[in-house]
Amino acid sequence: MSNLYADIIVNISHEALDRSFQYRVPPALTDTVGIGDYVSIPFGKGNRIIQGYIIALSDKASIDGDRIKDIQSIVKDSSLVEGKLIKLAFWMKRRYGSTLIQALKTVLPIKKESRHKEERSLSLSISNEEALKELKLCEKKHHTARGRLLKALIETEEIEYSLVTGKLNISSATIKAMEEKGIIAVNSRRIYRNSKVSLKDHKNIILNEEQKEAVSDILEEMDRGERRSCLIHGITGSGKTEVYMELIERVVLKGKQVIVLIPEIALTFQTLMRFYDRFGDRVSTLHSKLSPGERYDQFERAKKGELSVMIGPRSALFTPFTNLGLIIIDEEHESSYKSDSMPKYAAKDVALELARLHGAFLILGSATPSVDTYYEAVSGRTGLVTLTKRASEGSKLARVKVVDLREELKKGNRSVLSTELKKDIEERLINNEQVMLFLNRRGYSGFVSCRACGEALKCPHCDVSLTLHKNNKLVCHYCGYEQDYIRKCPNCSSSLIAPMRAGTEQIEENINKLFPFARVLRMDGDTTRKKDDYDRILSSFANREADILVGTQMIVKGHDFPYVTLVGVLAADMSLYANDYRASERTFQLLTQAAGRAGRGKREGKVLIQTYNPEHYSIVASAHQDYGEFFENELAYRKFMSYPPLGHILAITSESSIESKGRVYLNDLADYLKNDIIAKGSEKWIKINPPVECSIKKIMDIYRRVLYVKSDRLEMLVEIKDRSENFIEEHKEEKVKISFDLDPVHGY
Ligand code: ADP
Ligand code: ZN
Ligand code: ZN
């Protein structure tokens, strides 16, 4: 008799995942069954034959042997996407460490109760000519929101209601007013809903030579089938999106489906419309504003074959397409593609595995590829095509100049603006052009410290510096703790206590003082608390309702601003001092993206990078706009330190409300792992660092410690993770939570 047992779920729902049934695999099937297989089983008292999915296999029975029934047969049906998704979940569980249930819940489209909201859309009730007249009127009266909507509706017949209020940022009051005036109509159902592939006539963009070559190279690569992925390295504005769309069209015409990942923050209304224009109602989007029910509905439409293209953030990967042909990850270097809850997966790697399961192809696109991806490309494991020119006519790359702030200090200039930047801003204001000022604060907050003893004021719960707000409150950005600004140091009683350096708020104030007539907008974590704030500020700036936009790294993503001719980077160094190995990479990416914002229109752009570190290779290379130069320097550093992509890191963290418990448990785990690798003789390949406090040692009264394990061989780290899971299984401790993060994208 066989002693292989299978855990089977009989439908895809929350309850089913938590309650699987065990069956025996009959001898005839032991060689063929696998995770994700769809099988027929006798079920219940009457042994009714039903179908279910295998989610786990083991050689131990969890119930009495004689009560276990046998699987009847394996159902071969390649159109069943759930089986592939279960296989994917299993791969993720093994690779990143999590429970099977956590992985399944991440991956499977789980039914949620949803009140069916009616889909609404907007269209014009007047002719295009009348609408154009109306548009002129709006422009004259500075009715920018109305103008924006009219323009969009002239270009695109019909637009989903939620897109108009969301991405286009038009209030429902404005919509109502325009409806009452008989200019637009609110339709209670979307008009077009044919489920045949019908590509709309899109505006005729003829691909340039570089783009054509990229398309044909990639098509060739896909046909050849030797490699499963290709990187498109193309400067900002080189027309990557057009290349994606051309490739998507080819794949869709073959009856296959496409998943496009775009970081939500970079997905603009214009980009969305380009997709809708071209693919009509065969395309849909996922975004954070959807309720779980609406999300599930989108997944159902995908499964039924109503959709060909799904655009969304990393979770769009799990769209249940039955015949997936292509996955595209735009801005592949973005850190939002790494999940921060278990399983802490990297979308890029999961996409590759998914492509393998479907026999599909993966395209990664970026102007500043991650060092990991570029390394894959130069070593030939991933294809590589490059786009070197800006695609739209007349648009040129900006001039980039570095200003040494140390020299400014020597000259006695202590303000946040160098003499040159100040002069340049004045010029732009006179010419009626726009300016973006970018404060690179990644990992940095405007903290308050004592000049006498050097202590910074910290949150009593989180061990992070408190940030000073304008209302004279000191606020913790992790837990929201708030206290009044104190005038005396709690440590040494000195009154030499003062905020360190400027935040965006102070810069805005400064600019207002220097240029009292300029209209200034600010965008940072504080001004974008509500979901719509981000889109509202950017569209207002795009409508030229302001001259200067001051902001953090958020302002450098997406969006074309043709009237921006000057981008000032106020302190390029701040992100160089973040405490993880990707700090230089991130600095280069941010600076290059910032530079990409200038001169998107016909006018020439200029970028000024202010820094105390003009010699640092990240800064030098971004001034030269030379990715290769950056990559070579960075790779040398990674090699020297055995950091990814040349080595790998597994971060094992402990979290506990009782400090000693977390500490002891993680120490014990480290000892166990050490003994284990010594016993196996693999200590040459694996380095286990002593566990340490996280750089933020406490968040919301939970103590955090981290243990870093390093190895050049990824598989060995996966094994270390498996061993740790065994340890946790054998030493149950409810007061301590252990998490795994393979090749983390931020420091702990
Ligand atoms: P990327 O995704 O590389 O930043 P986009 O595809 O968004 O670039 O293209 C940048 C701009 O250039 C867009 O406004 C786009 O419409 C335009 N564009 C792209 N390809 C062409 C082309 N072949 N001819 C004319 N304009 C183009
Ligand atoms: Zn002090
Ligand atoms: Zn706090």
Side-chain angles (χ1 to χ4, degrees):
M1 196 177 286
S2 125
N3 50 358
L4 186 62
Y5 302 92
D7 292 332
I8 293 171
I9 52 170
V10 294
N11 68 50
I12 307 284
S13 73
H14 257 288
E15 304 75 58
L17 290 187
D18 291 327
R19 190 153 184 273
S20 56
F21 302 92
Q22 201 175 49
Y23 281 78
R24 187 185 355 249
V25 181
L29 296 180
T30 46
D31 291 340
T32 42
V33 285
I35 305 273
D37 279 355
Y38 197 49
V39 292
S40 289
I41 47 172
F43 192 73
K45 279 201 192 104
N47 283 337
R48 182 162 57 91
I49 298 297
I50 62 167
Q51 279 76 38
Y53 292 97
I54 297 181
I55 60 167
L57 290 165
S58 80
D59 48 16
K60 282 195 212 81
S62 54
I63 43 176
D64 275 352
D66 53 345
R67 279 176 48 214
I68 295 191
K69 299 175 198 171
D70 277 10
I71 291 175
Q72 195 188 53
S73 60
I74 300 175
V75 184
K76 290 264 179 269
D77 184 350
S78 61
S79 73
L80 289 170
V81 64
E82 280 84 356
K84 290 197 182 80
L85 290 173
I86 290 169
K87 284 193 179 75
L88 187 68
F90 191 76
W91 181 88
M92 286 166 68
K93 164 202 143 57
R94 162 107 169 91
R95 173 81 174 250
Y96 302 104
S98 73
T99 65
L100 181 62
I101 302 295
Q102 276 172 324
L104 287 169
K105 283 183 179 170
T106 306
V107 162
L108 289 175
I110 289 170
K111 195 171 236 131
K112 296 257 167 54
E113 280 306 308
S114 75
R115 263 186 309 115
H116 262 272
K117 265 209 289 188
E118 232 183 342
E119 278 182 69
R120 285 185 296 172
S121 68
L122 299 183
S123 55
L124 287 173
S125 323
I126 52 179
S127 70
N128 265 1
E129 290 79 64
E130 285 170 304
L132 277 168
K133 268 187 226 149
E134 193 69 28
L135 175 62
K136 286 233 172 67
L137 213 66
C138 287
E139 276 166 2
K140 216 153 91 202
K141 291 191 191 160
H142 296 289
H143 288 162
T144 51
R146 286 178 188 214
R148 203 154 62 233
L149 178 54
L150 278 169
K151 208 160 148 229
L153 285 173
I154 291 168
E155 282 164 12
T156 311
E157 244 171 277
E158 192 185 11
I159 308 175
E160 263 171 69
Y161 195 95
S162 66
L163 274 179
V164 172
T165 51
K167 283 277 166 205
L168 206 50
N169 235 297
I170 313 261
S171 70
S172 43
T174 305
I175 295 173
K176 191 131 188 274
M178 289 174 76
E179 189 188 9
E180 275 165 7
K181 280 183 76 182
I183 299 172
I184 61 169
V186 179
N187 315 302
S188 65
R189 209 154 40 88
R190 293 176 64 191
I191 297 166
Y192 45 74
R193 173 146 278 190
N194 54 346
S195 52
K196 286 244 169 59
V197 181
S198 72
L199 302 173
K200 295 178 75 180
D201 284 344
H202 52 90
K203 270 176 230 98
N204 261 331
I205 280 190
I206 297 164
L207 296 187
N208 62 34
E209 287 309 312
E210 265 193 343
Q211 288 170 311
K212 273 189 209 147
E213 213 175 300
V215 169
S216 65
D217 283 357
I218 292 174
L219 287 174
E220 221 173 87
E221 181 94 52
M222 288 163 84
D223 282 343
R224 214 169 333 136
E226 278 165 21
R227 291 184 286 209
R228 220 161 255 304
S229 59
C230 184
L231 167 67
I232 303 182
H233 177 209
I235 61 166
T236 9
S238 57
K240 292 186 289 298
T241 310
E242 289 301 324
V243 172
Y244 302 154
M245 289 202 286
E246 187 66 31
L247 290 164
I248 293 171
E249 185 166 327
R250 307 285 180 110
V251 173
V252 168
L253 285 173
K254 281 191 195 151
K256 297 189 177 187
Q257 298 98 32
V258 183
I259 293 171
V260 184
L261 302 192
I262 298 185
E264 185 155 19
I265 203 161
L267 183 59
T268 63
F269 183 77
Q270 283 77 10
T271 308
L272 262 181
M273 279 305 131
R274 279 160 75 185
F275 278 96
Y276 280 101
D277 274 353
R278 185 124 169 198
F279 301 106
D281 70 341
R282 301 293 301 170
V283 54
S284 181
T285 48
L286 293 177
H287 49 83
S288 56
K289 280 175 204 160
L290 293 180
S291 68
E294 288 170 314
R295 212 183 138 73
Y296 180 74
D297 288 349
Q298 293 310 310
F299 279 170
E300 277 292 283
R301 287 183 66 200
K303 219 177 113 179
K304 278 192 230 144
E306 288 175 22
L307 298 175
S308 301
V309 184
M310 182 64 91
I311 306 177
R314 63 169 186 261
S315 61
L317 270 183
F318 309 123
T319 306
F321 280 134
T322 52
N323 192 9
L324 185 67
L326 178 65
I327 306 167
I328 294 170
I329 305 185
D330 189 32
E331 312 273 3
E332 66 85 26
H333 61 274
E334 276 291 316
S335 57
S336 65
Y337 288 132
K338 179 90 199 264
S339 165
D340 41 24
S341 59
M342 299 263 275
K344 295 187 179 175
Y345 67 91
K348 211 167 30 182
D349 300 334
V350 174
L352 201 57
E353 182 63 16
L354 184 64
R356 214 178 51 73
L357 287 169
H358 277 273
F361 196 78
L362 170 66
I363 292 174
L364 304 161
S366 176
T368 51
S370 67
V371 172
D372 304 2
T373 301
Y374 203 75
Y375 182 70
E376 288 289 301
V378 294
S379 11
R381 283 185 291 275
T382 290
L384 174 65
V385 302
T386 42
L387 298 172
T388 58
K389 297 186 205 57
R390 283 208 163 165
S392 81
E393 218 163 300
S395 155
K396 268 190 285 186
L397 276 183
R399 274 179 303 139
V400 182
K401 197 171 164 197
V402 176
V403 177
D404 189 343
L405 286 176
R406 296 171 306 192
E407 293 298 317
E408 291 290 313
L409 262 177
K410 275 190 209 151
K411 282 189 273 175
N413 177 10
R414 305 177 141 267
S415 94
V416 291
L417 301 183
S418 60
T419 324
E420 180 162 359
L421 183 53
K422 199 171 139 212
K423 192 182 98 264
D424 283 349
I425 295 175
E426 266 161 21
E427 242 171 56
R428 299 308 183 286
L429 291 174
I430 291 167
N431 292 339
N432 202 15
E433 294 168 349
Q434 289 180 301
V435 178
M436 286 170 97
L437 296 178
F438 166 51
L439 187 68
N440 189 4
R441 291 209 319 177
R442 197 103 189 198
Y444 177 87
S445 66
F447 57 88
V448 173
S449 65
C450 170
R451 305 283 143 100
C453 73
E455 288 286 307
L457 297 181
K458 287 189 168 178
C459 170
H461 308 292
C462 302
D463 194 46
V464 293
S465 312
L466 295 167
T467 306
L468 183 64
H469 282 216
K470 209 177 187 168
N471 57 7
N472 260 346
K473 294 271 191 218
L474 291 161
V475 181
C476 168
H477 280 196
Y478 270 92
C479 73
Y481 167 87
E482 204 181 277
Q483 71 173 55
D484 287 332
Y485 184 29
I486 47 171
R487 305 283 160 186
K488 258 203 170 99
C489 172
N491 190 38
C492 73
S493 306
S494 154
S495 53
L496 288 173
I497 199 162
M500 279 298 277
R501 279 210 180 141
T504 37
E505 224 172 314
Q506 286 82 347
I507 289 166
E508 184 189 17
E509 247 171 59
N510 253 306
I511 301 285
N512 279 330
K513 260 187 227 139
L514 278 170
F515 308 106
F517 298 107
R519 298 163 302 167
V520 183
L521 274 174
R522 172 165 64 95
M523 180 145 106
D524 55 23
D526 286 336
T527 61
T528 51
R529 284 265 155 79
K530 285 195 264 92
K531 271 186 182 158
D532 294 342
D533 289 339
Y534 177 81
D535 289 322
R536 181 179 48 78
I537 294 172
L538 286 183
S539 28
S540 154
F541 189 60
N543 287 330
R544 302 177 82 190
E545 287 159 24
D547 308 299
I548 302 177
L549 175 62
V550 179
T552 54
Q553 53 276 359
M554 292 179 185
I555 67 175
V556 305
K557 307 269 157 71
H559 281 265
D560 273 346
F561 301 110
Y563 293 94
V564 171
T565 55
L566 174 65
V567 172
V569 181
L570 295 175
D573 324 299
M574 281 192 188
S575 64
L576 280 178
Y577 300 123
N579 69 343
D580 66 303
Y581 73 87
R582 280 187 161 94
S584 305
E585 174 172 349
R586 213 141 42 211
T587 303
F588 177 79
Q589 285 163 351
L590 285 169
L591 293 178
T592 309
Q593 279 175 15
R597 295 300 109 208
R600 299 289 296 231
K602 302 260 180 281
R603 309 170 195 218
E604 198 188 10
K606 177 173 176 183
V607 181
L608 267 188
I609 300 177
Q610 305 193 141
T611 175
Y612 293 97
N613 268 296
E615 302 88 8
H616 191 283
Y617 62 82
S618 282
I619 297 193
V620 176
S622 59
H624 296 161
Q625 309 199 41
D626 187 340
Y627 180 83
E629 181 183 343
F630 160 75
F631 179 75
E632 267 169 36
N633 280 287
E634 183 67 13
L635 198 69
Y637 158 72
R638 303 276 178 98
K639 251 188 197 141
F640 186 66
M641 299 295 297
S642 270
Y643 281 138
L646 296 133
H648 296 278
I649 301 173
L650 175 68
I652 307 178
T653 52
S654 71
E655 289 170 285
S656 180
S657 56
I658 305 162
E659 188 173 18
S660 59
K661 283 227 154 118
R663 189 178 60 236
V664 170
Y665 197 80
L666 202 59
N667 287 346
D668 288 351
L669 174 59
D671 289 342
Y672 169 84
L673 292 174
K674 254 181 232 152
N675 291 333
D676 190 58
I677 59 171
I678 290 169
K680 287 206 183 97
S682 51
E683 69 265 40
K684 211 170 78 193
W685 308 107
I686 302 168
K687 185 162 182 288
I688 298 179
N689 286 356
V692 291
E693 267 175 2
C694 293
S695 62
I696 300 163
K697 69 175 182 194
K698 185 164 77 159
I699 294 181
M700 306 236 233
D701 293 314
I702 300 289
Y703 292 88
R704 310 162 73 236
R705 294 178 73 81
V706 61
L707 158 64
Y708 284 110
V709 186
K710 288 170 81 174
S711 174
D712 290 352
R713 304 182 178 189
L714 188 82
E715 254 321 296
M716 290 204 160
L717 290 182
V718 172
E719 226 166 86
I720 287 281
K721 184 225 73 201
D722 289 348
R723 301 298 299 159
S724 307
E725 282 174 339
N726 291 349
F727 177 88
I728 296 164
E729 191 59 36
E730 282 160 23
H731 303 81
K732 287 225 160 63
E733 170 56 87
E734 277 184 8
K735 289 270 189 298
V736 182
K737 188 182 150 211
I738 298 287
S739 306
F740 302 99
D741 193 347
L742 186 61
D743 286 343
V745 294
H746 55 77
Y748 277 95

